[in-house]
Amino acid sequence: MDVRSSENGQLNIYLEEKNLPPAGYEKAQLESKGFLPETAIQDFPIRGHKVALCIKRRRWEVKQSGEIITRDWDLVRKGARMTTEFGTFLKGIFG
């Protein structure tokens, strides 16, 4: 994890997914194939600063089949660039 402040005062929190197999592939032979392109998600402000979570998700190759897999994250609310929890919070306030 790394935290940097941008020129406009936004806090960028950089996160990388750990190299742990996704559910259902614990017994398969996997080879890490690096990361998908970084995704930036707007999150709750911290002490008046805008916050972006900059996430790098892993991808793996199943050695037996050659299939490329990733963990299915239900992290970002569909059609928005914010976390599901923040979207639900806003929906509760504004309906």
Side-chain angles (χ1 to χ4, degrees), residues 5-24:
S5 182
S6 67
E7 293 175 5
N8 64 358
Q10 176 173 297
L11 294 177
N12 295 318
I13 301 173
Y14 295 88
L15 304 168
E16 286 185 0
E17 183 177 7
K18 290 184 177 183
N19 193 8
L20 300 173

Side-chain angles (χ1 to χ4, degrees), residues 79-95:
R81 295 188 55 81
M82 62 186 78
T83 62
T84 301
E85 291 83 10
F86 190 48
T88 304
F89 169 76
L90 291 177
K91 186 175 180 181
I93 290 177
F94 299 112

Side-chain angles (χ1 to χ4, degrees), residues 31-78:
E31 182 177 347
S32 179
K33 290 294 184 179
F35 295 93
L36 295 170
E38 187 175 281
T39 302
I41 301 169
Q42 299 301 312
D43 202 10
F44 289 99
I46 298 176
R47 297 192 178 230
H49 295 279
K50 291 182 180 180
V51 174
L53 302 176
C54 305
I55 301 171
K56 288 174 70 175
R57 295 176 47 206
R58 284 195 184 272
R59 60 185 176 160
W60 294 269
E61 179 182 3
V62 180
K63 287 187 177 182
Q64 185 177 8
S65 66
E67 174 188 13
I68 299 293
I69 61 167
T70 60
R71 183 170 278 110
D72 183 24
W73 285 21
D74 186 20
L75 179 67
V76 179
R77 188 161 191 88
K78 301 252 187 275

